[in-house]
């Protein structure tokens, strides 16, 4: 077993492993324990009662966090002519067409989100083997294949977070930074959990949200009180 550092040991001592925390207390505790020398990311992990191997039990989508992620997101856009100008005006970091495709095929991927106009999918389609495994392939269901490129760029820059259940039915995401206020973090958590709730697939049987935990990059995780949390969503 790996040796636990003094800082983490101190943080672990402040939490009760058997307790299910209400959101406000969880956020406060996680923020208090985020004592690293950098602005730690606050992360949520959700265990869902699904088997993503079945087509009717997949959970994937996009959610706009009301207070952003605190992370600088570099956005690439596949567009031509007027749409390319719209993307640049909205703050896209990289805009191109065949030239951008060649760059990517050559191994240069200097962005975190990729958006494309529908007419560019012939060009983007051949990048599937490169962008797909990295989770960067534009997708109409996620709003990243759209004629409204300016809107999509602003959403990506403003805190749109993509979520996707792993093979084990777990979803991980960053929902802000330790420097955020407690209320801003709580709002982001509520927005994220509400999006997962709405994305419940038709094939999900029994308990859908089985476990939710919150942690910072370098801190211990703690469990959230799911009935209380869901109650907050419906309040």
């Amino acid at each position: 077993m790996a040796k636990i550092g003094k800082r983490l040991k101190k943080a672990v001592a402040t939490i009760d492993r058997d307790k299910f925390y209400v959101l406000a207390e969880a956020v406060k505790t996680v923020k208090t324990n985020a004592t690293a020398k950098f602005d730690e990311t606050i992360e949520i992990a959700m265990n869902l009662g699904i088997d993503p191997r079945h087509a009717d039990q997949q959970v994937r989508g996009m959610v706009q966090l009301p207070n952003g992620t605190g992370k600088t997101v570099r956005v690439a856009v596949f567009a031509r002519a007027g749409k390319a100008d719209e993307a640049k005006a909205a703050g896209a970091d990289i805009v191109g067409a065949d030239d951008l495709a060649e760059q990517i095929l050559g191994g240069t991927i200097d962005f975190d989100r990729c958006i494309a106009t529908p007419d560019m999918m012939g060009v983007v389609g051949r990048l599937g083997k490169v962008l797909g495994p990295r989770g960067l392939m534009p997708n109409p269901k996620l709003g990243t294949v759209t004629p409204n490129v300016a809107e999509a760029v602003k959403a990506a820059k403003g805190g749109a977070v993509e979520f996707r259940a792993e093979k084990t039915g777990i979803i991980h995401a960053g929902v802000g930074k330790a420097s955020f206020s407690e209320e801003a973090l709580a709002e982001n958590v509520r927005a994220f959990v509400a999006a997962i709730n709405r994305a419940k697939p038709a094939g999900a049987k029994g308990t859908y949200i089985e476990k939710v935990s919150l942690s910072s990059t370098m801190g211990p995780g703690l469990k959230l009180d799911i009935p209380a949390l869901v109650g907050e969503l419906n309040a």
Side-chain angles (χ1 to χ4, degrees), residues 39 67-72 158-159 175-177 179-180 188:
D39 194 6
N67 301 295
T69 61
K71 181 186 173 189
T72 301
V175 289
K177 293 287 186 177
S179 58
F180 283 22
N188 279 0

Side-chain angles (χ1 to χ4, degrees), residues 4 10 17 38 62 106-107 124 130 144 182 211 224 232:
I4 299 177
K10 189 177 177 183
R17 291 284 190 185
F38 62 94
M62 194 81 79
V124 177
V130 183
T144 46
E182 289 174 25
K211 182 184 171 188
L224 295 187
E232 286 190 41

Side-chain angles (χ1 to χ4, degrees), residues 25-218:
E25 189 185 0
V27 167
K28 186 174 185 177
T29 306
V30 168
K31 260 179 67 73
T32 302
N33 285 331
T35 56
K37 291 177 182 177
F38 62 94
D39 194 6
E40 296 182 49
T41 297
I42 304 302
E43 299 167 355
I44 191 169
M46 299 181 68
N47 294 54
L48 305 179
I50 57 169
D51 185 347
R53 290 175 298 180
H54 299 287
D56 64 348
Q57 292 189 50
Q58 291 178 6
V59 177
R60 187 179 186 187
M62 194 81 79
V63 56
Q64 191 77 30
L65 298 183
N67 301 295
T69 61
K71 181 186 173 189
T72 301
V73 178
R74 284 183 60 80
V75 179
V77 178
F78 279 92
R80 289 193 174 103
K83 291 296 179 185
D85 294 336
E86 282 179 36
K88 286 173 188 169
D93 299 278
I94 306 163
V95 180
D98 297 276
D99 55 332
L100 179 53
E102 290 306 318
Q103 245 182 41
I104 290 167
L105 288 171
T108 303
I109 301 173
D110 188 22
F111 52 86
D112 311 295
R113 186 74 48 83
C114 189
I115 295 163
T117 53
D119 62 302
M120 292 300 301
M121 288 313 290
V123 175
V124 177
R126 58 196 178 100
L127 304 173
K129 286 183 179 177
V130 183
L131 296 180
R134 292 173 170 82
L136 292 171
M137 191 68 180
N139 185 319
K141 290 180 182 176
L142 300 175
T144 46
V145 176
T146 174
N148 303 316
V149 285
E151 197 179 299
V153 169
K154 285 173 185 172
K157 290 279 188 181
V161 172
E162 184 182 340
F163 58 83
R164 186 176 191 172
E166 299 169 3
K167 290 177 184 177
T168 51
I170 298 174
I171 285 180
H172 294 276
V175 289
K177 293 287 186 177
S179 58
F180 283 22
S181 70
E182 289 174 25
E183 186 48 43
L185 285 169
E187 280 180 7
N188 279 0
V189 170
R190 283 192 288 267
F192 188 85
V193 174
I196 303 302
N197 222 12
R198 286 193 299 271
K200 182 178 179 178
K205 300 287 187 287
T207 304
Y208 175 49
I209 300 177
E210 295 181 338
K211 182 184 171 188
V212 183
S213 61
L214 209 61
S215 64
S216 64
T217 308
M218 306 295 287

